Amino acid sequence: DTMTDAELDKLRDGIRARDRRALARSITLLESTRSSHRDQAESLLTALLPDVGKSFRIGITGVPGVGKSTFIETLGLKAIEAGHRVAVLTVDPTSVVSGGSILGDKTRMEKLSSHANAFVRPSPSGGSPGGVARRTRESIYLCEAAGYDYVIVETVGVGQSELRVAQMTDFFLLLILPASGDELQGIKRGVMELADLILVNKADDDLQNAARRTVSSYTQAVRLMQPRVGGWQVPVLAVSALRDQGISETLDILAKFQTQYMESGLTEEYRAEQSRHWLRQEVSDGLIDLCQQDPVIAARLKTLENDVKAGRVVATVAARQLVSEIAQRRGNTQS
Ligand code: GDP
């Protein structure tokens, strides 16, 4: 079921006209692994490129159960009240490992999903973590072309996906839980270093005191860290997504960051660097794909992978060897 050119044009016009169904269908097209679909997805993206870039891209992460969907729903509805249009995309890294999804099949963000000024897109299951993130980036572009000025990318804080999401957003928000003691939770330092804002959620009922202590220990911890964005002191705030406490303040912080960094052009520089990085990643993925297509190289790659896994060869050495073999083979076929 390949689309005709006329249908593709309709999809493009539909996105520009802010039609949510056209947007949803287009994202499905992006996610398709069929090569004819990929060609069409790429021409759609190219046609819409002039409409891309006009949103605030916000990454949100936190462990399962921290309250991400509750928080995004409360924040999203408030942002809409303030005149924004909100899109939510999820990157679910676990679908790859388990075949299932941590984010689950439960209906999430029901109120937000049904709001006319919101678009909520759950993550596809399956595919490589890189693959999912690849399509998410492209989906951000489509959401922007469809006029969403807040694009939220949500991911479960369990693995590699945080970095990937941080690499495609302007602002990264970490949700944590109130802890009983003073100690920092088992949140990897690397993830904390990505954060532009840390929110201690569920600061209500019997957890209020614990939340206060957690805020103060994290405030101390972030002071010792290099802020990701120069001159931005990472705020740590107690909120209750359920009771709608601290959510307006969160929106104020977002707006402050927007004024300070986006309007000054710094975000543009940052995005340019992200795009360059993205290109490089795509080129290396493309080269790996090429290797897989050549039976001789593919076999060599497999052997080297086994050597590396078994600890017989250092990865850098193996990679250099393979690259030089590829270069040699090319020389032979060209002469
Ligand atoms: P997610 O897995 O991170 O998306 O978490 P959910 O948003 O599904 O929330 C997990 C559970 O925590 C649900 O039962 C929510 O009702 C509850 N929850 C979320 N936010 C709050 C909050 O601010 N306070 C309290 N007390 N419970 C909350």
Side-chain angles (χ1 to χ4, degrees), residues 135-150:
R135 300 310 159 232
T136 306
R137 252 175 199 288
E138 295 177 345
S139 302
I140 294 175
Y141 279 18
L142 293 187
C143 290
E144 290 177 344
Y148 293 95
D149 66 331
Y150 270 26

Side-chain angles (χ1 to χ4, degrees), residues 63-131:
V63 296
V66 70
K68 288 180 297 301
S69 63
T70 311
F71 172 80
I72 293 170
E73 175 152 273
T74 310
L75 182 88
L77 290 170
K78 255 196 157 51
I80 288 171
E81 234 174 80
H84 295 286
R85 302 182 78 243
V86 178
V88 183
L89 305 167
T90 57
V91 176
D92 187 343
T94 53
S95 52
V96 183
V97 184
S98 63
S101 145
I102 290 199
L103 290 173
D105 299 325
K106 62 181 170 162
T107 318
R108 307 172 83 239
M109 301 175 237
E110 231 167 315
K111 271 191 227 141
L112 188 63
S113 305
S114 58
H115 199 291
N117 291 336
F119 176 79
V120 178
R121 176 78 178 195
S123 162
S125 51
S128 69

Side-chain angles (χ1 to χ4, degrees), residues 303-315 317-318:
T303 309
L304 288 171
E305 270 173 1
N306 287 334
D307 288 346
V308 166
K309 280 200 287 195
R312 287 189 291 268
V313 187
V314 180
V317 175

Side-chain angles (χ1 to χ4, degrees), residues 222-233:
V222 297
R223 282 209 192 109
L224 300 174
M225 289 185 335
Q226 181 95 352
R228 189 186 62 80
V229 179
W232 178 260
Q233 185 63 59

Side-chain angles (χ1 to χ4, degrees), residues 237-277:
L237 204 74
V239 302
S240 169
L242 200 63
R243 303 278 149 76
D244 189 359
Q245 285 159 11
I247 308 298
S248 297
E249 288 81 348
T250 302
L251 277 176
D252 291 344
I253 291 170
L254 294 178
K256 188 177 157 205
F257 186 92
Q258 259 186 305
T259 334
Q260 213 167 313
Y261 293 97
M262 300 187 75
E263 285 161 22
S264 70
L266 270 174
T267 297
E268 219 169 300
E269 274 174 43
Y270 183 61
R271 283 181 179 182
E273 186 48 37
Q274 286 180 330
S275 294
R276 192 188 71 92
H277 183 78

Side-chain angles (χ1 to χ4, degrees), residues 61-68 102 155-158 174-177 185 187:
T61 194
V63 296
V66 70
K68 288 180 297 301
I102 290 199
T155 189
V156 183
V158 288
L174 173 63
L175 281 180
I176 61 174
L177 289 168
Q185 296 162 50
I187 289 156

